[in-house]
Amino acid sequence: MPDRSITPDYSALEIPMDAWSEPFWAAGAEGRLIMPRCGDCGTFRWPAGPFCASCQSQAVEWVAPGQGRIYSFTVLPVPMGELVEPGHRVPALVAFDDAPGVRLVSALVDAPLDEVAIDAPVEVRWLPAANTAVPVFRLSHP
Amino acid sequence: MKREAAIVGVGATPYYFRGTSHPQTIYELIDKAILAGLADAGLGIKAVDGMTFFAGGYEAGLICEHLGIDGLTFAHVVSGFGSGMAGIFDLAAMAIETGRAETVLCIGAMQQPAHKRTGQALNMLASTTEGIFHTIAGLSGPGQALALQTRRHMHRYGTRREAFGEVVLASRAAAANRETALRRKPLTMEEYLASPMLADPLCRLDFCLETDGALVFVVTSAERARDLRQKPVYIEAAAQVGKRDWGRAFFWLNQSEDAFTTAGAGPVAEHLYGKAGLTPKDIDVALIYDHFSPLVVMQLEDYGFCARGEGGPFVESGAIRLNGTIPVNPHGGHLSEGYVVGMTHVREAVEQLRGTAVNQVRGAQRALVTGGPAPMPMTAAILRN
């Protein structure tokens, strides 16, 4: 059995978006990760939505969230048949150094399973989806 | 003094392994549980004037059509899923206390087709702008999302898999002599630790059963309960509390570290104990919503049976066994008896307080019943004999 996490195929996945989440996906299509921050009080909000939960402002600015680190993760067996051979899928919840209070959950791909750990630094990569690109994580290597 | 409400009748269908209760429909299951509950109470169909539901509820009108119930003066649904379970007793108590109804049926049921499972419930999130990230990540069931919380609890507090194993072993030991239980074979820690991982650190045995069945509880006033055939079980307090940080349960994932490493039940626990004027020491038996074993460890902390972060060692000490400091799920719970969205726990609470339980906690006077973490509100109840 392969000891690296699988890289899912998202090419048929249609991403639903609205006015408040569209900038995230537009930047992602260019390979950039940005997260929404209140334009008035600077509080991050996630998922993207119409109001700041701290001051109820609708003003928003999109900024790079800084270095990502694994906050938690799980390892899911992927059965034979869905892939050529069975493997493991690793959903990871990631916090960012410059975006306090919010976390992004996605797949950690192509990671040696024995190197996946809480606090491990990760980078964001973008993989093609039906109508845009989707963010996944890879372990950063020094 | 306010009118107090009491559970005076319990009705249940058999518990069927998921998808095996057909060709009965879910309404037929509910109808049968209602008739059984009324028979248990010694009441006729014409007595019914209220119904309470949770998790989306069922069509009260169709049930009235089927059974010839004339009509209702109170029919309400608690929002949330398994989180709202204990809230149906809060609604029933409200109806009785305010005189809106005299005889309320608290109804819960579950039935699955053979080809579709509750365990895949998060797939429906794929179509929402907020939920798509769970799909991208590969989190297709609640147990997979809970694995994130569980791992963080282990990381922060040193909680061991053996603690979750003890929850499963205790549940299996309790189920061994219970006729209604679907998983009764005794289990060893070695077998537990060898169980295949489904969502590391959760193995197959950490996931509960999925069961078809219906349960109904008949609630009326304490005054009327005195003249009925069963020993009344009073709804001493019930609470429904939703907090923003756990408002969408496993779906938000942005909770503070302190909230993330819980089952999200701290606020409802505080409210419930405050309303009842009681503390965890007053509880004789705890029916803890155990769709996944780590949630028992975390709820024991949330409900104050041990200190924050000490749920693992507390459980491993044997505290939740029948002879422990707080017996938990002496019926085998969702992990070993059956899973009808929490309703089987209330049945056990009533049996404990009537003194007729299979694994009776000697002298039990108060039982805690909890709903599970799911969209708000979280609910819980304290029942008393």
Side-chain angles (χ1 to χ4, degrees):
Chain A
M1 184 171 291
D3 57 359
R4 301 176 83 89
S5 61
I6 64 160
T7 301
D9 177 5
Y10 298 108
S11 58
L13 183 65
E14 192 80 28
I15 302 295
M17 44 184 104
D18 59 21
W20 296 100
S21 59
E22 192 274 339
F24 176 87
W25 299 108
E30 299 169 358
R32 292 184 298 120
L33 176 70
I34 51 175
M35 300 284 273
R37 184 170 76 180
C38 177
D40 282 323
C41 77
T43 303
F44 278 89
R45 60 203 205 224
W46 189 255
F51 289 95
C52 171
S54 290
C55 74
Q56 292 73 49
S57 166
Q58 290 204 280
V60 62
E61 55 191 12
W62 289 84
V63 297
Q67 177 68 53
R69 299 179 199 282
I70 294 176
Y71 181 77
S72 194
F73 66 96
T74 180
V75 181
L76 312 177
V78 178
M80 180 78 81
E82 203 169 308
L83 296 171
V84 177
E85 53 187 325
H88 290 91
R89 183 167 176 151
V90 179
L93 183 60
V94 167
F96 296 91
D97 288 356
D98 302 332
V102 297
R103 305 183 188 110
L104 182 63
V105 70
S106 188
L108 179 69
V109 305
D110 196 30
L113 295 179
D114 57 4
E115 291 180 24
V116 182
I118 285 177
D119 294 333
V122 298
E123 291 157 13
V124 174
R125 298 292 167 84
W126 295 83
L127 298 179
N131 57 336
T132 181
V134 299
V136 296
F137 304 118
R138 292 199 56 169
L139 290 176
S140 305
H141 286 289
Chain B
M1 194 177 145
K2 78 175 187 194
R3 294 176 86 203
E4 198 173 20
I7 297 171
V8 295
V10 179
T13 64
Y15 304 157
Y16 304 88
F17 189 76
R18 68 179 158 83
T20 62
S21 60
H22 305 277
Q24 300 167 102
T25 65
I26 194 158
Y27 281 94
E28 183 176 351
L29 296 173
I30 290 170
D31 296 341
K32 286 176 174 173
I34 289 173
L35 294 175
L38 289 169
D40 185 53
L43 288 169
I45 200 82
K46 300 297 180 197
V48 175
D49 59 359
M51 291 185 191
T52 65
F53 306 93
F54 65 108
Y58 295 96
E59 268 201 78
L62 188 57
I63 297 167
C64 290
E65 266 180 53
H66 283 178
L67 294 177
I69 296 169
D70 281 342
L72 306 174
T73 56
F74 190 92
H76 289 275
V77 183
V78 183
S79 58
F81 296 105
S83 46
M85 187 273 294
I88 60 178
F89 299 94
D90 195 27
L91 290 188
M94 288 161 65
I96 300 300
E97 286 165 13
T98 58
R100 297 286 184 94
E102 292 297 323
T103 307
V104 180
L105 304 177
C106 300
I107 299 171
M110 181 149 151
Q111 184 186 43
Q112 300 194 38
H115 60 280
K116 201 175 164 192
R117 296 181 53 191
T118 303
Q120 309 294 318
L122 304 200
N123 283 338
M124 66 188 177
L125 294 173
S127 60
T128 70
T129 55
E130 295 84 9
I132 190 66
F133 292 94
H134 278 62
T135 303
I136 294 168
L139 300 171
S140 62
Q144 299 176 346
L146 168 69
L148 300 173
Q149 254 98 13
T150 302
R151 183 179 303 282
R152 193 74 196 181
H153 194 280
M154 297 170 84
H155 174 79
R156 185 177 188 189
Y157 298 119
T159 313
R160 310 187 320 151
R161 281 194 65 214
E162 284 80 354
F164 312 138
E166 165 59 12
V167 171
V168 179
L169 263 58
S171 118
R172 198 63 65 87
N177 62 350
R178 192 161 162 90
E179 295 289 332
T180 48
L182 296 176
R183 285 181 184 158
R184 297 175 60 184
K185 191 170 156 282
L187 189 71
T188 66
M189 188 61 82
E190 288 68 32
E191 289 170 315
Y192 170 82
L193 292 171
S195 170
M197 283 291 182
L198 287 192
D200 194 333
L202 272 65
C203 66
R204 178 172 291 153
L205 293 171
D206 292 314
F207 284 64
C208 77
L209 287 150
E210 294 178 24
T211 311
D212 289 3
L215 290 97
V216 169
F217 298 86
V218 183
V219 173
T220 190
S221 64
E223 187 183 21
R224 188 135 162 265
R226 281 195 286 274
D227 300 328
L228 296 176
R229 84 165 46 137
Q230 302 290 354
K231 179 177 180 176
V233 170
Y234 301 98
I235 301 170
E236 182 153 36
Q240 309 176 50
V241 178
K243 287 284 189 181
R244 176 178 180 265
D245 62 356
W246 269 87
R248 292 196 295 127
F250 305 125
F251 310 132
W252 190 49
L253 301 176
N254 291 318
Q255 293 95 336
S256 69
E257 170 90 349
D258 283 348
F260 191 86
T261 50
T262 72
V268 70
E270 188 181 344
H271 190 83
L272 179 71
Y273 289 132
K275 196 171 171 184
L278 297 172
T279 74
K281 288 195 180 351
D282 297 309
I283 305 298
D284 301 309
V285 55
L287 291 312
I288 306 277
Y289 200 102
D290 58 334
H291 45 343
F292 304 101
S293 60
L295 287 171
V296 173
V297 173
M298 295 188 216
Q299 283 181 81
L300 287 165
E301 298 174 10
D302 288 352
Y303 283 93
F305 294 107
C306 61
R308 184 64 66 200
E310 290 177 12
F314 181 72
V315 163
E316 287 192 64
S317 76
I320 65 171
R321 297 274 179 154
L322 193 59
N323 57 358
T325 53
I326 179 67
V328 171
N329 299 349
H331 59 321
H334 296 149
L335 290 165
S336 296
E337 189 195 39
Y339 173 68
V340 189
V341 208
M343 297 294 283
T344 54
H345 286 45
V346 184
R347 180 184 185 184
E348 172 68 5
V350 171
E351 290 179 6
Q352 288 287 345
L353 297 172
R354 285 180 179 176
T356 60
V358 172
N359 295 304
Q360 182 66 44
V361 174
R362 200 170 303 155
Q365 293 182 312
R366 284 196 178 87
L368 171 71
V369 180
T370 76
M376 73 160 70
M378 303 280 277
T379 67
I382 295 172
L383 306 181
R384 185 194 81 232
N385 61 17

